[in-house]
Amino acid sequence: MVAHRIWGICELRWCVRLLAGTVAEYEPLPIGQTLSAPSIAWLRERIRHYVDTGELPAIQAL
């Protein structure tokens, strides 16, 4: 529901999970914490970049 409200696309649930620092979708989101979400254009550009180059970003543990 959060991904749909931010970007209008529920398939970006994984991005909300990364922003919140949760492992599974059923984990509650942090209460009182403000999450900053990138624009859909930025996400689209990054996904295309990683598909074209084949490189994957290092994901840091939160």
Side-chain angles (χ1 to χ4, degrees):
M1 187 170 174
V2 174
H4 188 268
R5 287 194 178 190
I6 295 172
W7 300 293
I9 302 170
C10 63
E11 285 80 10
L12 291 174
R13 297 184 313 267
W14 59 271
C15 192
V16 173
R17 215 174 65 233
L18 284 175
L19 291 171
T22 60
V23 176
E25 288 185 27
Y26 56 81
E27 289 184 43
L29 294 175
I31 296 173
Q33 181 180 358
T34 302
L35 303 175
S36 297
S39 69
I40 191 71
W42 185 86
L43 283 173
R44 186 180 305 120
E45 188 276 325
R46 289 286 80 196
I47 291 170
R48 284 183 181 155
H49 170 77
Y50 296 131
V51 167
D52 291 344
T53 63
E55 72 178 58
L56 293 175
I59 298 176
Q60 299 175 350
L62 298 175

